[in-house]
Amino acid sequence: MIRVIGSWLVVSVSLGVLLAAQPVNSDTFNVEANFDLAMLEASNFYEMLEPLAKEQDSIVFYDFTESFTPLFQDNIIPRFQEKYGITVEYFSVDGEQSVQQLIAAKQAGQPSPVDVFFMPNGQAQVATEAGIVANLPLNTLLPSAQDLDEQASTVSRGYAHGGTVVPFHRNQTAIGYDTRTISDEDAPKTFEELLAYAQANPKKVAMTSPAQGGSGSGFLESAMLHFASSDCQERLYDAAITEEEAKAWAEGDCMESVMDYFRELAPNVEITNGNTDTLTLIANGVATIGTVWEDQAYDYIGRGLLPPTVKFRLFESGQVGDGDGVMIPSGTQKLAAALLFVDFMLSDEVQLLKLELNGSRSARTTLDLESTLKPEVLARLVPTDQYPALNRPRINNLISTAAVDRFVAEILQQ
């Protein structure tokens, strides 16, 4: 089905056969509802929930980011309130501290202080195991979630939650390059080509330190996915791996080929102290190529901090990306309104607006970006034919942390 939302053309797929809500990893729901959850499904979602949600009148929303504050306060929340007449009380919070706040409320037998929580992906396991996440299959229940990427909608940083935390924001590590100096055709497309370029052009490649910025640790993880053997890679997405096993993996033979690559690369590149430092070197013309976060670089070009001549690509072997999700706390007293708001957050309108304003990717798989976004917007992103084919999930956080420790010891401290 083709629809027009404002100036956006959106291609949607049929919802197909939809099943009523079933609790995730349990026989019973762990959240209080003033309706029969077992009767709720995507096909009757709005008809069943909208009257009940309007009776609840308001919800409390936590956002763990600072960068999305204008998006929520100036765009998403006003649009939701206008559409449904439900007030959203917005709070910008610390993600980890808020998880602990919700755990303390549950342990004290108190209702949740928040009804919808946009939380860090790295906290999904802690929150779920503490019982503060409503065990609702949001990925199949919400009408706006029917085309979510399966991996992104069921797994957070290697932890399989089964769809209780739906991906609102996706980000992507990438290679940025300045076309004033290097053409699209000549820009490195593989790790090997990047090494060759760095050796031929010493210090013209800026690599964010894995210990100081996510574009650096993401680059390290992407290298692990490329250079480590297939047998070794099996552990990279193992949510059951222990800290000791992760350390053994990173200190063992599985990392040797990865470390060999960086031993050759490091002397020829500028290793920076953070994502911003890398972008600054590119902006000043000191570096031609650098490791970047797509959304941060998108924002920098929009604000004139990077020239529009800077383009982005993903290596042919793929590069990792991540994101953060939204959940409904099990202690909410306003489930109907909370569900309606989360569904709105995943709607075509909001997901396209988020991408246009923040460079924030969507886990929605049927949004037609080529026909929807302006050419000048697309030019600030990884090419649309590369992103779906070459983005990879971030690996298990314990292994990533151990690998960074080894990188620091053997590359940075030598």
Side-chain angles (χ1 to χ4, degrees), residues 4-143:
V4 175
I5 300 178
S7 60
W8 291 325
L9 175 69
V10 180
V11 178
S12 301
V13 293
S14 169
L15 295 179
V17 178
L18 300 171
L19 302 177
Q22 298 291 327
V24 177
N25 297 325
S26 177
D27 295 329
T28 58
F29 291 107
N30 66 350
V31 60
E32 180 180 315
N34 61 342
F35 57 92
D36 188 353
L37 265 171
M39 296 296 294
L40 183 65
E41 57 187 41
S43 62
N44 66 11
F45 186 88
Y46 303 118
E47 177 185 5
M48 189 169 174
L49 291 186
E50 188 170 343
L52 298 171
K54 289 180 177 179
E55 289 178 5
Q56 293 175 339
D57 188 51
S58 67
I59 58 170
V60 175
F61 173 57
Y62 279 8
D63 164 27
F64 85 100
T65 72
E66 294 181 356
S67 58
F68 281 163
T69 296
L71 176 69
F72 285 119
Q73 290 189 324
D74 300 337
N75 294 281
I76 296 176
I77 291 174
R79 293 178 188 218
F80 176 79
Q81 292 179 156
E82 181 180 359
K83 182 174 183 178
Y84 292 111
I86 299 169
T87 300
V88 178
E89 296 183 60
Y90 172 86
F91 294 92
S92 179
V93 301
D94 179 277
E96 293 186 20
Q97 289 180 8
S98 294
V99 167
Q100 294 305 312
Q101 179 193 19
L102 267 65
I103 292 174
K106 178 178 175 59
Q107 291 175 342
Q110 299 174 350
S112 170
V114 57
D115 303 297
V116 177
F117 186 7
F118 177 38
M119 64 182 291
N121 254 14
Q123 289 292 299
Q125 182 170 359
V126 173
T128 302
E129 292 178 350
I132 62 171
V133 179
N135 60 352
L136 300 169
L138 298 179
N139 61 322
T140 58
L141 179 60
L142 305 177

Side-chain angles (χ1 to χ4, degrees), residues 141-156:
L141 179 60
L142 305 177
S144 295
Q146 299 303 306
D147 63 342
L148 285 175
D149 175 84
E150 183 176 358
Q151 173 77 16
S153 65
T154 58
V155 179
S156 295

Side-chain angles (χ1 to χ4, degrees), residues 138-356:
L138 298 179
N139 61 322
T140 58
L141 179 60
L142 305 177
S144 295
Q146 299 303 306
D147 63 342
L148 285 175
D149 175 84
E150 183 176 358
Q151 173 77 16
S153 65
T154 58
V155 179
S156 295
R157 289 308 302 264
Y159 176 71
H161 52 74
T164 59
V165 183
V166 284
F168 172 72
H169 158 65
R170 306 300 293 170
N171 53 23
Q172 179 62 47
T173 62
I175 297 299
Y177 58 95
D178 194 337
T179 56
R180 291 177 299 184
T181 306
I182 186 169
S183 67
D184 290 323
E185 293 76 17
D186 293 334
K189 300 173 180 60
T190 65
F191 282 96
E192 292 79 7
E193 288 181 9
L194 180 69
L195 175 60
Y197 181 89
Q199 290 173 331
N201 303 271
K203 304 301 179 179
K204 289 298 182 180
V205 174
M207 174 188 165
T208 308
S209 168
Q212 299 294 330
S215 67
S217 57
F219 186 69
L220 175 59
E221 290 180 24
S222 299
M224 293 159 68
L225 288 169
H226 177 60
F227 289 108
S229 68
S230 57
D231 289 343
C232 288
Q233 288 188 30
E234 290 181 1
R235 299 307 304 273
L236 296 181
Y237 294 107
D238 182 359
I241 197 169
T242 65
E243 187 171 355
E244 292 74 20
E245 290 172 333
K247 185 176 181 180
W249 192 102
E251 293 179 351
D253 293 340
C254 284
M255 273 289 287
E256 279 305 316
S257 57
V258 182
M259 298 305 299
D260 286 344
Y261 175 78
F262 284 108
R263 290 186 187 103
E264 286 192 78
L265 181 68
N268 298 289
V269 302
E270 190 69 39
I271 299 179
T272 72
N273 288 323
N275 303 312
T276 299
D277 288 349
T278 297
L279 293 177
T280 299
L281 291 182
I282 298 174
N284 293 338
V286 176
T288 302
I289 300 172
T291 58
V292 302
W293 280 112
E294 180 192 34
D295 55 338
Q296 183 187 24
Y298 178 96
D299 175 65
Y300 269 45
I301 294 175
R303 292 193 286 145
L305 301 177
L306 270 180
T309 52
V310 177
K311 305 297 180 184
F312 311 98
R313 69 159 299 113
L314 302 183
F315 280 162
E316 292 174 352
S317 56
Q319 291 185 248
V320 300
D322 197 18
D324 299 290
V326 58
M327 64 86 158
I328 296 175
S330 58
T332 178
Q333 304 299 293
K334 297 183 177 181
L335 181 58
L339 282 166
L340 208 61
F341 186 58
V342 176
D343 180 74
F344 185 75
M345 290 175 68
L346 292 177
S347 66
D348 300 338
E349 175 185 0
V350 169
Q351 288 294 300
L352 289 167
L353 179 69
K354 176 173 63 69
L355 180 54
E356 184 174 337

